Amino acid sequence: MIEVEMKAKINDKMEALEKIKEIGGTYSHSEKQHDIYFNSSDKDFKKSDEALRIREIPNGEEFKCILTYKGPKLDSKSKTRKEVEVEIDDTDNMTEILVKLGYKPTAIVNKVRRIFKYEEYTITLDKLNQLGYYMEIEYVAEEDSDIEEIRNNIIEVFKKMDITSGFERTSYLGLLEQLE
Amino acid sequence: MIEVEMKAKINDKMEALEKIKEIGGTYSHSEKQHDIYFNSSDKDFKKSDEALRIREIPNGEEFKCILTYKGPKLDSKSKTRKEVEVEIDDTDNMTEILVKLGYKPTAIVNKVRRIFKYEEYTITLDKLNQLGYYMEIEYVAEEDSDIEEIRNNIIEVFKKMDITSGFERTSYLGLLEQLE
């Protein structure tokens, strides 16, 4: 699975929500996402542009927990990456296994994500405490897809909402690290 | 969680089943276990006496899948180890993540396990294609437990069933590798 995604800084949240509605995006649901990022001393994921993450999403009285590996970016313009996910039943035990394998939890990213569906895309409006609002448009593609074409289509969706600047390739993790 | 366990070679399966019954062991259930072991080129788990495993257990039309890390043996007489488990929803995706992190599937162990409860112990009678039958007695202990005492208690349970020899500290994986 390849995740082709682009995100842009949003200055006016209400306007962004209006624009999503105007083009025909339909609200799906909202999630609080608590992300724990891991790094290895053997192989610095910052340098290799990889990521290993446990995401916790409250779901009633339970948590949905997902272990995700993200490969390096596959092109120079978007955030397209190879992504592999596994749902797990216990964050603490998964953390303990990763620590035993030589990984360390190195960063936490918390956000509130509003999720919308538009045609074959997922549009999200994310709120991060220190970073403010961002809009992401994501398309999940097969491994042999034409990424260039998908990326151009995503830019077109942004254009429909009058978003033509503020694009950001750096991950939320990277942006938060720049603030430190 | 510390898993204190000992196993012994069983030559007469029917006699073993009788003995478990005689001491008051109660049958719980049977499982087909399909185990995939991983190793890393950076750190040979054979040398470090660790193990990383995905176990698949058919459960109706589904599979129960568990990722397990086993630490090195903690004493010289039993198979006592630190063990951490996480239930996962997809073996293939977990395998793909482990491969991305530098691990390779290196061995498969298949067995049929009959599981019995006896007091605070789990007794299993395992059938492995190339190895025959083994009985394992396991006790799950807190990290600060007196392992020596627990091991002696396990030996006493074996004694009650007239099993006083044939003890084996080598894992099934190790025993199968010796056959190659």
Side-chain angles (χ1 to χ4, degrees):
Chain A
M1 185 180 103
I2 300 283
E3 188 186 64
V4 188
E5 68 178 36
M6 290 182 74
K7 72 165 177 266
K9 184 81 185 84
I10 295 297
N11 296 316
D12 187 332
K13 176 191 85 171
M14 293 312 291
E15 192 184 319
L17 287 170
E18 273 302 312
K19 291 287 181 188
I20 296 171
K21 211 173 159 185
E22 266 177 43
I23 64 165
T26 55
Y27 176 74
S28 165
H29 64 287
S30 295
E31 286 177 354
K32 276 193 186 181
Q33 297 182 339
H34 175 70
D35 293 349
I36 308 160
Y37 284 88
F38 291 80
N39 205 346
S40 158
S41 45
D42 298 337
K43 186 187 181 187
D44 187 347
F45 283 163
K46 273 189 214 176
K47 285 181 188 155
S48 63
D49 190 28
E50 294 168 285
L52 186 63
R53 177 187 76 194
I54 299 176
R55 170 167 291 174
E56 287 187 330
I57 304 165
N59 184 10
E61 288 181 10
E62 300 288 313
F63 283 90
K64 185 176 178 182
C65 307
I66 302 158
L67 175 70
T68 303
Y69 166 85
K70 291 185 180 227
K73 292 186 195 76
L74 294 173
D75 74 5
S76 61
K77 291 177 191 165
S78 71
K79 287 176 63 211
T80 305
R81 293 166 176 277
K82 167 86 175 165
E83 187 171 312
V84 193
E85 290 193 341
V86 177
E87 196 170 331
I88 58 175
D89 76 333
D90 192 296
T91 296
D92 292 344
N93 285 0
M94 190 70 237
T95 298
E96 199 174 348
I97 291 176
L98 291 176
V99 167
K100 291 285 181 188
L101 299 180
Y103 296 89
K104 279 183 191 162
T106 51
I108 302 283
V109 178
N110 288 309
K111 65 170 149 330
V112 179
R113 170 164 280 183
R114 288 179 174 86
I115 300 166
F116 302 83
K117 292 288 169 192
Y118 170 67
E119 294 178 356
E120 65 269 58
Y121 306 95
T122 301
I123 302 179
T124 67
L125 191 67
D126 295 339
K127 184 191 176 189
L128 289 98
N129 269 347
Q130 295 166 277
L131 298 174
Y133 286 90
Y134 282 85
M135 186 188 290
E136 272 196 358
I137 302 181
E138 181 188 300
Y139 182 92
V140 175
E142 298 299 321
E143 310 256 333
D144 56 353
S145 305
D146 182 342
I147 292 172
E148 178 86 24
E149 191 191 335
I150 295 169
R151 204 180 52 223
N152 288 336
N153 292 341
I154 288 177
I155 292 171
E156 283 305 310
V157 179
F158 273 115
K159 263 192 197 161
K160 281 189 186 178
M161 293 185 277
D162 298 323
I163 298 167
T164 53
S165 65
F167 295 110
E168 179 60 75
R169 280 185 81 230
T170 307
S171 67
Y172 293 133
L173 177 60
L175 292 170
L176 285 166
E177 281 166 352
Q178 285 170 15
L179 292 180
E180 281 169 11
Chain B
M1 185 180 103
I2 300 282
E3 187 186 66
V4 188
E5 67 177 36
M6 291 183 73
K7 73 164 176 268
K9 184 82 186 80
I10 295 297
N11 297 315
D12 187 331
K13 176 191 86 170
M14 292 312 292
E15 192 183 318
L17 287 169
E18 273 302 311
K19 291 287 181 189
I20 295 171
K21 210 173 159 184
E22 266 178 43
I23 64 166
T26 54
Y27 177 73
S28 165
H29 64 288
S30 295
E31 285 177 356
K32 276 193 187 181
Q33 298 182 339
H34 174 69
D35 294 348
I36 308 161
Y37 285 88
F38 291 80
N39 206 346
S40 157
S41 44
D42 297 338
K43 186 187 181 189
D44 188 348
F45 284 162
K46 272 188 212 176
K47 285 180 189 156
S48 63
D49 190 28
E50 295 167 285
L52 185 64
R53 178 187 75 196
I54 299 175
R55 170 167 289 174
E56 286 187 329
I57 303 166
N59 184 10
E61 287 182 11
E62 300 289 313
F63 283 90
K64 185 176 179 182
C65 306
I66 302 158
L67 175 71
T68 303
Y69 167 85
K70 292 185 180 227
K73 291 185 196 77
L74 294 172
D75 74 4
S76 61
K77 291 176 190 166
S78 71
K79 286 178 63 214
T80 306
R81 293 168 176 277
K82 167 86 176 167
E83 189 171 311
V84 193
E85 291 192 340
V86 177
E87 195 170 330
I88 58 175
D89 75 334
D90 192 297
T91 296
D92 292 343
N93 285 359
M94 190 70 236
T95 298
E96 199 174 347
I97 291 177
L98 291 175
V99 167
K100 291 287 181 188
L101 299 180
Y103 296 88
K104 280 182 190 164
T106 50
I108 302 283
V109 178
N110 288 308
K111 64 170 153 322
V112 178
R113 171 163 280 182
R114 288 180 174 85
I115 300 166
F116 301 83
K117 292 289 169 190
Y118 171 67
E119 294 177 355
E120 65 269 59
Y121 307 95
T122 301
I123 302 178
T124 65
L125 192 66
D126 295 338
K127 184 189 175 190
L128 289 98
N129 270 345
Q130 293 166 279
L131 299 173
Y133 285 90
Y134 282 85
M135 186 187 290
E136 272 197 356
I137 302 181
E138 181 188 300
Y139 181 93
V140 175
E142 298 299 321
E143 309 257 334
D144 56 353
S145 304
D146 182 343
I147 292 173
E148 178 87 26
E149 191 190 335
I150 295 169
R151 204 179 53 223
N152 287 335
N153 292 341
I154 288 177
I155 292 171
E156 282 306 310
V157 180
F158 273 114
K159 263 192 198 160
K160 282 188 185 177
M161 293 184 277
D162 299 324
I163 297 167
T164 53
S165 65
F167 295 110
E168 179 61 74
R169 280 186 79 230
T170 307
S171 66
Y172 293 133
L173 177 60
L175 292 171
L176 285 166
E177 280 167 352
Q178 286 170 15
L179 292 180
E180 280 168 12

